[in-house]
Amino acid sequence: IYCLLDKHREGLDHYEEAVRIKEMAMTRGVSNNGSMEKLISCLQEVIRLQKMSLSEEDEGNDETNNEEQLAPVLFKLGNLFAKTRNYDNAIRHYNETLQIQKRHLGEHHLDVGNTLHNLGNAYYQKQDYDKALASYQQSLTLSEYNLGPDQEEVAETRNCIGNVQKQLGNYDDAMECYQEALRVRREALAANSNSSHKNDLAMATVLHNVATVHDIKGEYDDAMTCFREVLRIRKTKGGDSSENIEIANTLHGIANVHVHKSEFHKAMNCFHESLRIRKLLFGKDDLHVAHTLLNIGAVYDSMNDDAKAMECYEETLRIYRLFEEEEDGEDGLWLMGDGQHHGNLARAIHNIGLIYDQRGRYKDAIQFFEDALKVYTNMNRGGGGSSSEQDSSQSKNVDEANTFHNLGCVYDKMSDYESAMQSYHQALSIYKPTLGPNHIKTVSTIHNMGMILARNKETHEQALKCFHNVLTVRSDKLGEGHEDVAETRCCIAKLLNERNELEESLDHFKSALRCQTKNIGKDSAVVGNTLFGLGIVHSKRNELGESLNCLRESLRIRQLTLDAGGEASAAHDDIAETHYCLGCVCEEIGEHEEAMQNLTKALTMKTLLKGKDH
């Protein structure tokens, strides 16, 4: 009313008092979405009136300039927009704050660093990692300049930089940031035995991030050690475990490590405990619950319990339908107005597509992947803002790229190589500008493209170029001992074998075999395949004794793994091929009886598999 009466100073006083009271209510937990919207509205009025006051001062040539007082309000409003996931408005208000702070406080002031930190947070949430990294690094420089390198505020920024490096696939750089942040946190705790539980929990957050990098790099024992320490801290310092979301998140991390180690029952126990906590905190129809159900469904699928897996996925979709109904989307299940809901729904649909893929129901898998892509298309068209910056960020959705990648994998399995390559190219068009050309996801897609190119002798050179690119990145990011590096070496070795570059082929096969035997076990299927490749190369090099040993061991493993998987080894193409090659080598060294046995078995299997006139 004061504003309507043109008494702007009085109006501003009341709006500022309203903001103070609403903030107190939110601090006490007396808040909801409506409270947040009203607080945002109040702050916008405060800013409008302060700007009006500044304009009047300029017109009156008043030397008093209150612009500096505007910066904290803009900063506060940016924080509220960030909390409501309106990151474009958050970024706009942070940038306006920065301009005022730099004019009045100078470019090296600590407040400038704090604003840059929050600006980095907003860019991070938008998956605009290059801008996030630039903002965090500027913030780090100012924090170190004003506070010194060993302050907890500096550690927090280093932790955030580590998060960006992790998203960009720079795992060693991420680990370096996390370890430095962890050092500062630990030294601060050691120096102050009376420090608050908040400091312990901050250290647990960094340690949790260290654990995730260990997990990504396949260092599962180290990951588990870190996660268990995080769980201990959060249980002892974070209050009642039944009401602590951070404990639920830690249990998720531990469960993921168990999944990667194929310890599915242990993983299931952790996921169910996380689910219990999330239901208690958010109710059974919350998106946190849906996310956990997706993970539980994936574990059931790994345990070959299809019925329970699908039950989890259907419950997940039921929850997302509730949110979709609230948004009243025009195309039913697949279209929702809010970008965050869009992404969660698309991931749920995508994961169901993965299950159908694993079951060999490829047409159903394609349908679900395409439905997920419809959701992303709708996100790119509209959903929550009109700025070109937002459209650019949305069009670079990494989850959308993952869906294109997996769609390509299904087409690949169906021998529709043209459609597979189209999907892989779509994935790359998002991965490269978003994550960079040397990210693990980027080179995984390039690896799959190389596999298709390797099928045709005319494109072997292109395939080899792809694989060498992948090998360089995987070796750098994951380490020489990682199984993905071994997989790429095997692909290179096979192509080199076909080009009769036998010595280099042999080196790649041997390096792969050492890694696979150590990481996966000497009786794994991939070891059997690598031994077969080694046997062929040794044979072509006329190293028949080594060839015979490799092929015999390959046959043993292949029969073992097929029998363990419930497949009949009596008529399998890999077994037939191994018998055939064994027979040829035995014939060359004069072991005619063994040669006859192997060639007869190969002939019997090939006849069953291909027909007698093949």
Side-chain angles (χ1 to χ4, degrees), residues 259-495:
V259 168
H260 296 150
K261 296 177 71 175
S262 299
E263 297 169 350
F264 299 123
H265 289 288
K266 292 180 180 179
M268 192 66 80
N269 290 337
C270 292
F271 277 134
H272 274 295
E273 178 61 11
S274 176
L275 182 66
R276 183 191 69 78
I277 295 171
R278 291 183 175 198
K279 281 184 175 179
L280 188 66
L281 289 172
F282 306 114
K284 65 183 179 64
D285 295 333
D286 188 80
L287 293 176
H288 292 86
V289 173
H291 176 66
T292 309
L293 285 167
L294 278 175
N295 284 280
I296 291 173
V299 177
Y300 276 129
D301 190 69
S302 298
M303 296 168 69
N304 296 317
D305 192 336
D306 292 350
K308 287 186 178 178
M310 190 52 73
E311 186 180 316
C312 288
Y313 292 125
E314 288 173 349
E315 177 65 7
T316 300
L317 281 184
R318 183 194 67 77
I319 294 171
Y320 283 120
R321 284 192 184 101
L322 295 176
F323 284 88
E324 183 272 334
E325 287 167 3
E326 291 176 8
E327 298 294 344
D328 194 27
E330 60 184 44
D331 283 347
L333 171 65
W334 313 124
L335 299 182
M336 296 163 58
D338 181 83
Q340 183 74 14
H341 297 166
H342 259 299
N344 288 330
L345 177 62
R347 281 188 286 276
I349 300 164
H350 165 268
N351 282 10
I352 294 175
L354 286 177
I355 293 303
Y356 282 124
D357 174 21
Q358 292 163 10
R359 293 179 180 177
R361 292 172 57 177
Y362 299 134
K363 289 184 178 179
D364 289 328
I366 288 172
Q367 183 62 57
F368 274 89
F369 288 147
E370 288 180 344
D371 283 338
L373 289 170
K374 288 177 186 176
V375 180
Y376 291 122
T377 299
N378 189 59
M379 287 172 66
N380 296 337
R381 280 203 307 257
S386 59
S387 72
S388 60
E389 185 177 15
Q390 182 187 35
D391 291 341
S392 172
S393 175
Q394 287 178 331
S395 68
K396 297 174 181 177
N397 191 303
V398 174
D399 292 321
E400 182 180 9
N402 295 340
T403 307
F404 275 120
H405 175 93
N406 290 324
L407 181 61
C409 291
V410 175
Y411 280 128
D412 197 345
K413 291 172 186 175
M414 296 176 71
S415 301
D416 186 349
Y417 302 125
E418 184 177 352
S419 295
M421 288 296 272
Q422 288 175 357
S423 296
Y424 290 144
H425 277 296
Q426 290 273 21
L428 279 183
S429 72
I430 300 171
Y431 283 145
K432 281 186 174 180
T434 308
L435 302 177
N438 295 328
H439 193 277
I440 289 298
K441 287 181 179 290
T442 306
V443 297
S444 292
T445 302
I446 294 172
H447 184 279
N448 287 9
M449 295 170 77
M451 295 288 285
I452 293 175
L453 294 168
R455 294 177 177 276
N456 187 341
K457 280 193 174 184
E458 294 179 0
T459 53
H460 274 189
E461 192 67 40
Q462 292 173 258
L464 205 53
K465 185 177 179 181
C466 286
F467 290 138
H468 277 301
N469 179 14
V470 173
L471 181 63
T472 299
V473 175
R474 283 182 168 177
S475 298
D476 178 56
K477 302 287 186 182
L478 302 174
E480 274 294 336
H482 198 279
E483 58 199 72
D484 288 352
V485 175
E487 178 192 21
T488 308
R489 286 195 179 278
C490 284
C491 293
I492 292 171
K494 289 173 186 176
L495 284 174

Side-chain angles (χ1 to χ4, degrees), residues 10 78 92:
E10 291 87 342
R92 183 167 62 82

Side-chain angles (χ1 to χ4, degrees), residues 216-246:
I216 290 168
K217 295 183 71 175
E219 299 162 356
Y220 302 130
D221 291 340
D222 291 334
M224 189 63 78
T225 299
C226 291
F227 274 132
R228 292 200 184 284
E229 177 65 9
V230 173
L231 189 63
R232 184 193 66 77
I233 296 171
R234 286 176 170 171
K235 280 189 172 182
T236 56
K237 307 292 184 180
D240 186 354
S241 64
S242 66
E243 298 178 359
N244 191 328
I245 186 59
E246 295 301 333

